[in-house]
Amino acid sequence: MATTPPLNVMPVAYQGGTAAVPDWLNKGDNAWQMISATLVGLQSVPGLVILYGSMVKKKWAVNSAFMALYAFAAVVICWVIWAYKMSFGDRLLPFWGKPGPALGQKFLVKEAILPETTQHHKDGEIETDVITPFYPMATMVWFQCMFAAITLILLAGSVLGRMNIKAWMMFVPLWLTFSYTVGAFSLWGGGFLFHWGVIDYSGGYVIHLSSGIAGLTAAYWVGPRSTNDRERFPPNNVLLMLAGAGLLWMGWTGFNGGDPYSANVDSSMAILNTNICAATSLLIWTWLDVIFFKKPSVIGAVQGMMTGLVCITPGAGLVQGWAAIVMGILSGSVPWLTMMIVHKKWALLQKIDDTLAVFHTHAVAGYLGGILTGFFAEPELCALFLPVTNSRGAVYGVSDGGVQVLKQVIGGAFVIGWNVVVTSMICVAIRLVIPLRLPEEELETGDDAVHGEEAYALWADGEKYDAKRHSVYADDTVHSHRSIGATQVV
C-alpha cells in the first residue's frame, strides 16, 4: 500500500512556503496569467502570421508572414533587455520608465509588482495601493511582452507589399523603444495618464490606437505599393485567412481576460463582453455589405470581427453586456463608414496606402472604444479594477462621467500625437541609412525577389505562369466579377 513520503523528502517544487511555492503565490492566478499570455502569443504566431500570409496577394504571402514572425522574435529580445522596465519599471519621466534588463533570477522570481502604480489622493493619502499580483515577475514580463509583440505586428499590416524588409528590421526595435513603451507606461505602468484616470482596460489605446496611427504614418513615409498591386490585391487563400482570424478571435480571451492580472470575476466579465461585442460587430458589418453591395463579404466579416474585438478592449471588464452590444453595433458601422465612404472622399487617406486598412480597423475602432468606455463604464465594475475610486461613465452620472469622457478624448489625443511625431522621426532616420521602400523591380516580382522563396508551387519549378497553358489563375488575371471585399474596396 502506497504511503505519502515525509515532507522533508518531498521535492521542493511541491512544497508550500518554499522558494518554489512562496506564500504569496496563487497557483490559479499564475496558471491563468501564463495561459492568457500564451493565447495572446498565439494571436501573433501563428494567428497573424497566417492571416497576413493569406490575406495578401500571392506574390507577397511569404514576405507578409515573415514580417510578422520577425517582429515577434525581435520584440521578445528587446523587451527583456531594456523595454519591459521602460514600460512597467521605475519612473524616469511622467510618460516613461527607466530602461533596464529583466533577465536576472532575483528580479524574475520575486512577487510581481508595478512599482509606480500607487494611487494617491490630492492630500497625499493612499487611494489605491501598488499593483502586486500573486505570481512572479517572470509571468508579468512574459504576459506584457506578448502585448508589445502583437502591437508591432498589427502595425505591419499598413506597410505590407512594399516595405524594405531590412528597413523593417531596423524599425521594430526603434518603434518599440520610443513609441510603445511611452504608451504602455503612461496608461498602464503608472504614468501620468494612469494616475489621471484615463481608462484603457486592455489596450484600446496602448495597442490598437497606437498601431493604427503609427501604421498610417509609416505607410505615408514608406510610400505606396506598385500601381498594379494597388489596383488589384486579392487574398491568396480566403479559407486560410479565416483560420488566422479564428485564432485571433479566440486568442482575445487571453488578451482581455488576462488584464485584471487575476482569474477573478472581472476577468469573466471581460471575456463574455469581448465575444458579445465581436459577434455583434461582425453581423452589423456583414449586413451593411449586403445592404450596400448586395453580397456578404468574407473579408468584410473578418474586418467587422476585428473592429468589434478592438472596440471592446478599452472597456472589456468595465461595461455591462447590453453596453457591449451597443459598442458592437457602433464598431460594426462607424469603421465601416470611415473605410467605405470617408476613405474614398478624403484626399489624404486616398494618398496614403494602408494595405490592410489598419487605420480603420484599429485606430478608428480603438479610439471609438475608448470614448464609448467613457460613456458606459459601470461604477461597480470600475471599482473591481481601476485605481481611481468612484470612476464611472457618463451614463451613470453626467458630472463625473462627463469628465471621464473628456479624459478619454484627451488620452487618445496624446497617443495619436506621440505616434505621428515619433513614427515620422523613426522613418526619416531609417531612410537616411536604407530605403524604406523596395525597388520597383522587386515590387514587380515580390517574394521570390525579396526572399528567394514563394508560398505556393503551382506549376513546374522555375516555370513562369502562362495563361494559355495553366488552369490556375494568376494574381493579375482579369476576372469578369470583381471582388467586393473590404480590402479590395479600400
Side-chain angles (χ1 to χ4, degrees):
M1 183 175 179
T3 58
T4 303
L7 184 62
N8 60 353
V9 298
M10 185 181 294
V12 173
Y14 310 113
Q15 293 183 32
T18 65
V21 190
D23 293 334
W24 48 259
L25 178 68
N26 183 306
K27 291 184 177 181
D29 283 354
N30 193 34
W32 170 239
Q33 208 65 34
M34 289 190 289
I35 290 170
S36 295
T38 302
L39 288 170
V40 178
L42 288 171
Q43 289 183 292
S44 297
V45 181
L48 285 169
V49 171
I50 294 173
L51 185 70
Y52 285 2
S54 55
M55 200 170 187
V56 299
K57 202 170 187 177
K58 182 177 72 69
K59 73 175 187 179
W60 292 112
V62 171
N63 179 258
S64 300
F66 181 69
M67 284 180 68
L69 183 65
Y70 177 85
F72 186 87
V75 168
V76 170
I77 299 305
C78 297
W79 190 250
V80 296
I81 294 177
W82 71 80
Y84 171 78
K85 288 189 176 180
M86 294 181 72
S87 304
F88 296 96
D90 296 321
R91 169 177 160 162
L92 175 65
L93 296 169
F95 53 85
W96 230 349
K98 296 178 182 178
L103 292 167
Q105 167 198 340
K106 291 183 179 180
F107 175 78
L108 293 173
V109 301
K110 69 178 183 181
E111 183 177 6
I113 183 172
L114 304 185
E116 298 295 335
T117 56
T118 302
Q119 184 72 20
H120 293 89
H121 290 291
K122 291 181 179 179
D123 61 5
E125 292 293 319
I126 292 180
E127 181 176 4
T128 305
D129 208 348
V130 65
I131 296 174
T132 53
F134 300 123
Y135 44 75
M137 285 297 304
T139 300
M140 177 65 79
V141 171
W142 180 241
F143 177 74
Q144 297 295 354
C145 179
M146 294 300 93
F147 282 81
I150 199 171
T151 307
L152 264 298
I153 296 172
L154 292 173
L155 190 162
S158 293
V159 294
L160 299 179
R162 84 282 197 175
M163 187 170 185
N164 187 335
I165 187 65
K166 295 173 184 175
W168 176 244
M169 291 177 176
M170 296 176 64
F171 181 90
V172 170
L174 289 173
W175 192 86
L176 174 71
T177 302
F178 295 105
S179 187
Y180 181 82
T181 58
V182 169
F185 185 81
S186 297
L187 283 155
W188 288 345
F192 75 107
L193 294 177
F194 174 93
H195 290 297
W196 190 40
V198 177
I199 300 173
D200 188 8
Y201 186 88
S202 195
Y205 287 178
V206 175
I207 295 171
H208 300 293
L209 180 57
S210 67
S211 63
I213 294 298
L216 189 73
T217 306
Y220 169 82
W221 289 104
V222 172
R225 289 166 287 171
S226 66
T227 301
N228 287 338
D229 284 353
R230 288 204 76 179
E231 291 176 351
R232 179 166 175 76
F233 206 71
N236 66 83
N237 193 322
V238 174
L239 296 181
L240 202 58
M241 177 193 73
L242 289 174
L247 284 168
L248 203 62
W249 188 344
M250 292 299 100
W252 228 281
T253 295
F255 197 105
N256 287 347
D259 258 302
Y261 302 143
S262 174
N264 60 14
V265 170
D266 201 36
S267 178
S268 299
M269 283 293 299
I271 292 170
L272 180 59
N273 284 336
T274 296
N275 287 278
I276 290 172
C277 187
T280 304
S281 184
L282 185 153
L283 296 175
I284 293 296
W285 193 295
T286 300
W287 294 339
L288 288 171
D289 276 348
V290 171
I291 292 169
F292 288 94
F293 297 111
K294 310 306 178 186
K295 294 180 180 179
S297 166
V298 177
I299 297 175
V302 171
Q303 302 282 32
M305 173 206 80
M306 188 82 71
T307 56
L309 292 167
V310 170
C311 184
I312 194 65
T313 292
L318 306 176
V319 302
Q320 298 190 62
W322 64 264
I325 292 178
V326 174
M327 293 174 75
I329 293 171
L330 292 172
S331 66
S333 54
V334 174
W336 185 94
L337 180 67
T338 65
M339 183 184 292
M340 301 302 194
I341 308 299
V342 176
H343 188 102
K344 296 178 180 180
K345 296 181 180 295
W346 194 352
L348 177 62
L349 291 178
Q350 283 286 298
K351 180 180 179 181
I352 302 174
D353 183 15
D354 180 1
T355 308
L356 297 185
V358 178
F359 170 74
H360 300 284
T361 56
H362 293 273
V364 173
Y367 204 5
L368 174 67
I371 294 171
L372 290 175
T373 298
F375 282 96
F376 297 130
E378 200 279 331
E380 292 185 16
L381 293 174
C382 287
L384 299 178
F385 179 77
L386 298 177
V388 179
T389 55
N390 299 317
S391 294
R392 66 189 62 230
V395 170
Y396 301 95
V398 176
S399 179
D400 291 341
V403 172
Q404 189 63 56
V405 173
L406 180 63
K407 289 180 179 180
Q408 298 302 108
V409 172
I410 294 174
F414 170 78
V415 172
I416 291 171
W418 185 271
N419 277 279
V420 169
V421 173
V422 172
T423 305
S424 295
M425 293 174 65
I426 291 171
C427 288
V428 170
I430 291 174
R431 75 176 185 178
L432 295 174
V433 180
I434 191 171
L436 292 169
R437 188 172 182 264
L438 289 167
E440 290 295 334
E441 57 270 21
E442 293 189 13
L443 291 177
E444 185 68 26
T445 305
D447 288 338
D448 192 32
V450 180
H451 300 282
E453 299 164 313
E454 294 185 0
Y456 306 106
L458 298 178
W459 39 84
D461 184 32
E463 185 178 3
K464 296 293 184 181
Y465 175 80
D466 184 345
K468 297 179 180 179
R469 298 174 54 217
H470 300 117
S471 60
V472 181
Y473 283 132
D475 282 333
D476 296 307
T477 302
V478 178
H479 304 287
S480 58
H481 299 289
R482 184 173 181 269
S483 170
I484 64 166
T487 304
Q488 283 74 36
V489 173
V490 171

